[in-house]
């Protein structure tokens, strides 16, 4: 474990979530775009249409620049921020899925080599070979998604892994197939929006209209199938995740998820009828609208994991809350409740290991940093600010707040308070002091 990474106003997990959401656009684009390219390239050969082929070339050229620059930067950003925000969880994931990641990286290598080879061999190899290169890229990059979805869904529904500790018991869990379907279909809406933007820069009105019409159909189909997959996914969620979802889903978040989807459907439908209506600024705006939706769905996915990083095993604050006999790991809560969280956490300044009258507020702040700051900021503004939340409940004295802290575990989305009685009192005293 590292020292706590406190990000004022946002939390460390918030930084990670932002980077991860930005990663979705280029990563899903790189998985989906080649399918559209292959379709158009086939069509160009069949109908002997060099201008269509010229579009495919431009489209994949832009893909190479956009997806591989932003995708790589944000991809590495996820690893950096995750290792600083939740090193223990990342370590747990690596211990379980190192071969999963190794597999994914092999296919990622094929993907990166594939896009360069495909792009730079237009007109240099024969048509069949070029199409084959496209297929290698398309299947290679889809395989990265097939692997990553197993690890991502494991972090929400680890399934039988909790009992057996087996790689595939966690990988093929109850939300694996619906989430793979959701990403595999939703990605075509991203590829389509991007194709519309690239086409809108073309001077050749006929090709532009044709490409936009085709892209709009792919976009509409992607949105419809992704919506169906979403309901499949929601039905597959375990009871606890659904309770958290219900408790935390605000009307704003629901709107953020569905209004952009409706707007995008209307946009694609309009483009089916009037393909030349898509100017470059409008098509960029459409990508931003789609982004709002992706952001909201990802936020919802993050919310339903609470109070865990690895459900049934490790809480969001990285405390191991349950036994995992299959891996020989035991819950830490009993020992921490008896000896104190400040003794166990590795980066506590020496003077704070024991709560005293003199260090009470400082020790309380340390407890809040360790146990609460993964989800709450300690600053007055920002993500679920603790001063505001405590004040809103009307607590003004240490004893009643301390009694309330006993009930944290009964919220579906919060871990219980863990630590000794003096530590709880110190936390309560600190919270009262910042909420005045
Ligand atoms: C796993 C994430 C998580 C952790 C860790 C966490 N909380 Fe929360 N907490 C939430 C969420 C989510 C809410 C509800 C949404 C909101 O208030 O915006 C919440 C709400 C609250 C509220 C308001 C409750 C109400 O009924 O209005 C208080 C008070 C609170 N938390 C205190 C704490 C304290 C103190 C800690 C540390 C001991 C803590 N939380 C740790 C996620 C967390």
């Amino acid at each position: 474990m590292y020292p706590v990474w406190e990000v004022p106003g946002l939390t460390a997990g918030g930084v990670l979530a932002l980077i991860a959401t930005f990663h979705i656009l280029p990563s899903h684009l790189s998985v989906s775009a080649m399918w559209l390219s292959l379709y158009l390239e086939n069509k160009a050969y069949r109908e002997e249409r060099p201008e269509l082929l010229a579009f495919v070339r431009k489209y994949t050229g832009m893909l190479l620049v956009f997806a591989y620059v932003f995708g790589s930067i944000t991809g590495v950003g996820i690893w950096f921020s995750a290792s600083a925000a939740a090193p223990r969880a990342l370590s747990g994931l690596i211990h379980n899925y190192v071969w999963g990641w190794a597999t994914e990286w092999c296919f990622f290598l094929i993907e990166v080599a594939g896009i360069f080879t495909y792009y730079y061999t237009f007109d240099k190899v024969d048509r069949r070979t070029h199409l084959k290169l496209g297929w290698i890229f398309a299947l290679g990059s889809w395989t990265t998604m097939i692997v990553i979805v197993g690890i991502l869904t494991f972090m929400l529904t680890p399934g039988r892994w909790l009992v057996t500790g087996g790689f595939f018991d966690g990988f093929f869990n109850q939300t694996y197939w619906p989430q793979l379907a959701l990403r595999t279909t939703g990605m075509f809406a991203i590829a389509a929006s991007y194709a519309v933007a690239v086409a809108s820069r073309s001077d050749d009105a006929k090709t532009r209209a044709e490409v936009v019409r085709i892209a709009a159909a792919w976009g509409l189909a992607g949105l419809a199938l992704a919506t169906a997959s979403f309901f499949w996914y929601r039905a597959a969620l375990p009871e606890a995740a659904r309770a958290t979802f219900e408790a935390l889903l605000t009307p704003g978040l629901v709107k953020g998820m569905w209004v952009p989807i409706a707007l995008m459907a209307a946009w694609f439908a309009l483009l089916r009828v009037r393909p030349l209506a898509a100017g470059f600024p409008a098509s960029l705006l459409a990508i931003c609208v789609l982004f709002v939706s992706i952001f909201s769905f990802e936020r919802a996915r993050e919310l339903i994991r609470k109070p865990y990083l690895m459900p049934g095993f490790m809480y969001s604050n990285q405390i191991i809350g349950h036994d995992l006999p299959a891996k020989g790991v035991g819950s830490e809560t009993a020992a921490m409740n008896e000896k104190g969280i400040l003794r166990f956490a590795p980066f506590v300044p020496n003077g704070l290991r024991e709560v005293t009258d003199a260090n009470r507020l400082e020790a309380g702040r340390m407890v809040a940093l360790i146990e609460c700051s993964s989800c709450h900021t300690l600053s007055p503004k920002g993500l679920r600010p603790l001063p505001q939340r405590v004040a809103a409940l009307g607590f003004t004295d240490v004893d009643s707040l301390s009694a309330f802290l006993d009930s944290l575990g009964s919220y579906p989305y919060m871990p219980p308070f863990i630590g000794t009685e003096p530590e709880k009192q110190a936390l309560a005293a600190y919270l009262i002091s910042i909420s005045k």
Side-chain angles (χ1 to χ4, degrees):
M1 253 180 155
Y2 296 154
V4 175
W5 179 22
E6 189 188 5
V7 183
L10 192 60
T11 76
V15 175
L16 173 57
L18 269 182
I19 298 176
T21 312
F22 276 107
H23 184 69
I24 289 186
L25 219 50
S27 65
H28 286 57
L29 177 65
S30 77
V31 178
S32 57
M34 187 54 71
W35 300 90
L36 186 57
S37 290
L38 280 173
Y39 173 79
L40 292 174
E41 190 181 353
N42 259 312
K43 189 174 164 70
Y45 292 153
R46 221 176 31 244
E47 300 169 9
E48 289 302 334
R49 303 266 304 281
E51 73 287 358
L52 208 53
L53 202 61
F55 170 80
V56 177
R57 194 175 191 155
K58 199 159 140 199
Y59 184 54
T60 40
M62 295 298 289
L63 172 77
L64 208 162
V65 173
F66 173 75
Y68 286 84
V69 172
F70 286 98
S72 311
I73 294 174
T74 49
V76 172
I78 291 179
W79 281 97
F80 269 114
S81 53
S83 51
R88 264 191 136 181
L90 202 57
S91 157
L93 279 180
I94 289 175
H95 278 93
N96 279 291
Y97 284 112
V98 72
W99 291 113
W101 264 308
T103 311
E104 197 253 352
W105 284 333
C106 288
F107 281 96
F108 182 61
L109 213 60
I110 296 175
E111 181 183 338
V112 174
I115 183 71
F116 278 95
T117 317
Y118 177 84
Y119 181 67
Y120 286 105
T121 52
F122 268 107
D123 301 334
K124 295 209 174 66
V125 295
D126 64 85
R127 293 173 167 189
R128 276 176 59 99
T129 309
H130 197 253
L131 284 171
K132 271 189 201 148
L133 289 173
W135 276 107
I136 292 174
F137 171 85
L139 292 172
S141 67
W142 190 42
T143 309
T144 64
M145 179 186 272
I146 290 175
V147 177
I148 275 300
V149 165
I151 303 176
L152 277 178
T153 53
F154 163 80
M155 288 193 283
L156 174 66
T157 46
R160 282 184 45 73
W161 175 85
L162 289 174
V163 182
T164 64
F167 184 105
F168 288 108
D169 287 333
F171 192 94
F172 291 113
N173 57 74
Q174 69 196 83
T175 55
Y176 177 78
W177 295 109
Q179 191 173 124
L180 184 61
L182 179 56
R183 289 184 190 272
T184 299
T185 52
M187 71 185 188
F188 288 114
I190 300 179
S193 324
Y194 197 60
V196 171
V198 176
S200 73
R201 306 271 297 167
S202 155
D203 302 327
D204 168 6
K206 184 163 169 281
T207 316
R208 178 174 155 190
E210 184 173 6
V211 168
V212 169
R213 252 201 208 104
I214 293 171
W218 282 54
L220 277 175
L223 288 180
L225 291 171
T227 303
S229 309
F230 172 79
F231 287 105
W232 180 21
Y233 176 68
R234 212 182 61 172
L237 287 177
E239 207 44 62
R242 219 168 309 162
T244 306
F245 196 51
E246 238 97 284
L248 293 180
L249 203 65
T250 58
L253 188 56
V254 177
K255 275 196 206 114
M257 286 156 73
W258 295 110
V259 172
I261 297 281
L263 288 175
M264 287 308 290
W267 168 244
F268 286 136
L270 169 76
L271 294 181
R272 279 297 292 172
V273 196
R274 293 190 41 206
L276 294 179
F280 187 59
S283 45
L284 280 193
L285 186 67
I287 293 179
C288 296
V289 169
L290 191 61
F291 184 75
V292 172
S293 182
I294 295 173
F295 181 82
S296 309
F297 276 102
E298 284 299 307
R299 186 156 164 68
R301 187 177 67 82
E302 274 301 312
L303 282 180
I304 55 181
R305 272 172 68 202
K306 295 193 186 319
Y308 292 106
L309 285 173
M310 295 163 85
F313 175 50
M314 188 187 292
Y315 287 122
S316 300
N317 49 23
Q318 303 188 77
I319 292 173
I320 294 176
H322 303 273
D323 292 333
L324 193 65
K327 293 280 179 191
V329 181
S331 163
E332 299 170 326
T333 55
M336 285 177 173
N337 281 336
E338 191 193 325
K339 302 205 178 87
I341 179 95
L342 293 174
R343 273 192 198 286
F344 274 86
F347 287 92
V348 174
N350 271 337
L352 297 183
R353 296 261 177 212
E354 196 89 51
V355 180
T356 64
D357 281 343
N359 73 8
R360 179 156 296 119
L361 289 186
E362 233 187 312
R365 178 177 146 77
M366 201 68 220
V367 174
L369 275 175
I370 297 168
E371 290 199 34
C372 321
S373 75
S374 53
C375 303
H376 295 280
T377 61
L378 306 186
S379 47
K381 289 218 170 71
L383 189 71
R384 305 185 198 101
L386 269 186
Q388 192 276 336
R389 293 298 190 270
V390 170
L393 289 178
F395 289 112
T396 51
D397 73 286
V398 173
D399 287 335
S400 54
L401 178 55
S402 173
F404 166 81
L405 289 176
D406 280 330
S407 72
L408 285 188
S410 60
Y411 286 84
Y413 42 79
M414 275 196 268
F417 170 82
I418 293 163
T420 60
E421 196 56 37
E423 286 173 339
K424 197 197 306 165
Q425 294 278 335
L427 172 63
Y430 168 71
L431 291 176
I432 293 287
S433 79
I434 57 169
S435 64
K436 285 211 174 95

